[in-house]
Amino acid sequence: MSLVEIMGELEKLGTAQTRKTFRTHGAPTNCYGVKIGDLKKYLLKKVKDHHELCLELFATGNSDAQYLAGLAIDSKKMTKVEITSWLRQSSWSAIDETIVAGVAAESPFALELAREWLAMSDSKSQNVGWLTFGKYLSIQSDDQIAQVEIEQLLQRLKKEIHMAPNEIRYSMNQFIIYVGSYYTNLTDIALETAADIKEIEITLATRGCRLPNPATKIQKLKDHNRLGIKRKQIIC
């Protein structure tokens, strides 16, 4: 299918209620409001692994097209330039945090990009940097993880989290959960970090949203004997 045909299908699948829900959480006006389940059911097979089409979809700036592109792309075939471009083109934080960070973490440039983004001063890059690193831990074997580097990031997090922008506080909290859940060498340190920083002040999209508690999330995995079990893929 062509880009025009896919965009037409996306528009047909969108609903006013889903658009309203997405916009409540920060989605841009360039959003048809397509449920993720419908993206997978009706369009994913038509787009999957069509690399250039995925790039074209993402470049539209349409939120639904960008999510579909992230579902369909083969992350391992993405170049560093293409992933960096996706970060610039991403239309809102949900795409940053799920698609851009997920694709980056699954790519051959995961650590390189995460480190570069964490060294940048803008909150968008830092936010995706923390999540890319965390998601990388969830799929990478422990022998490929530098423990000292993770410990240093947790120390940095403790110093910065209460002064960080809202979205970065959220991603830092997620990073603690990723470390404690997927890299068991530092599960105890992750829990100590969460205890040290105590309560995090954060503004979430709606009253019904809650900041995940690292100790609760990690304990739940422990109770089900799932600590340290790596994910097969991130974007699904």
Side-chain angles (χ1 to χ4, degrees):
M1 296 181 74
S2 69
L3 175 64
V4 172
E5 289 172 324
I6 292 294
M7 294 303 294
E9 290 296 310
L10 285 170
E11 187 171 11
K12 290 177 185 176
L13 288 169
T15 67
Q17 182 57 52
T18 304
R19 275 196 302 277
K20 181 180 178 181
T21 299
F22 287 173
R23 287 178 183 171
T24 298
H25 287 81
T29 55
N30 191 1
C31 171
Y32 294 134
V34 184
K35 295 177 181 178
I36 295 172
D38 287 343
L39 290 177
K40 295 177 180 179
K41 183 176 180 180
Y42 298 109
L43 289 174
L44 181 56
K45 288 183 180 180
K46 299 176 183 179
V47 181
K48 193 169 180 61
D49 295 336
H50 290 275
H51 191 84
E52 292 303 320
L53 179 56
C54 289
L55 296 181
E56 289 176 355
L57 283 166
F58 205 93
T60 65
N62 177 274
S63 177
D64 308 285
Q66 291 188 335
Y67 204 99
L68 177 62
L71 288 172
I73 199 82
D74 183 343
S75 301
K76 292 179 173 55
K77 293 181 180 178
M78 290 280 279
T79 67
K80 184 179 177 182
V81 170
E82 288 168 345
I83 299 171
T84 302
S85 177
W86 275 25
L87 179 60
R88 291 197 308 270
Q89 295 171 350
S90 174
S91 61
W92 64 303
S93 59
I95 302 297
D96 293 345
E97 295 164 3
T98 55
I99 299 303
V100 180
V103 167
E106 290 180 345
S107 79
F109 313 101
L111 287 179
E112 188 177 344
L113 285 167
R115 289 164 180 157
E116 288 180 10
W117 289 335
L118 284 171
M120 292 182 179
S121 58
D122 66 289
S123 60
K124 182 182 179 77
S125 298
Q126 281 198 33
N127 184 38
V128 178
W130 284 107
L131 292 170
T132 298
F133 219 126
K135 292 174 189 289
Y136 172 83
L137 298 179
S138 75
I139 58 173
Q140 190 57 255
S141 60
D142 285 356
D143 60 1
Q144 297 298 309
I145 296 170
Q147 180 169 325
V148 172
E149 183 173 23
I150 308 305
E151 291 175 328
Q152 290 171 343
L153 285 172
L154 289 173
Q155 287 298 319
R156 171 183 167 180
L157 184 156
K158 282 200 293 186
K159 294 177 182 178
E160 297 180 6
I161 192 166
H162 292 297
M163 297 179 291
N166 193 72
E167 64 271 23
I168 296 181
R169 292 199 296 275
Y170 183 88
S171 62
M172 285 176 166
N173 187 74
Q174 290 297 113
F175 182 77
I176 297 171
I177 295 171
Y178 279 119
V179 174
S181 301
Y182 294 104
Y183 187 56
T184 55
N185 287 1
L186 292 180
T187 294
D188 289 342
I189 301 298
L191 290 170
E192 289 174 13
T193 301
D196 287 344
I197 63 177
K198 299 179 181 177
E199 188 171 346
I200 303 169
E201 292 185 11
I202 190 167
T203 302
L204 298 174
T206 64
R207 291 183 179 180
C209 294
R210 293 288 183 272
L211 184 69
N213 181 282
T216 302
K217 297 283 287 188
I218 294 168
Q219 185 62 48
K220 184 176 180 180
L221 287 176
K222 184 176 182 180
D223 291 343
H224 290 85
N225 295 314
R226 296 195 60 81
L227 278 182
I229 296 179
K230 305 290 184 172
R231 301 176 61 177
K232 293 182 179 180
Q233 64 183 81
I234 295 170
I235 303 173
C236 56

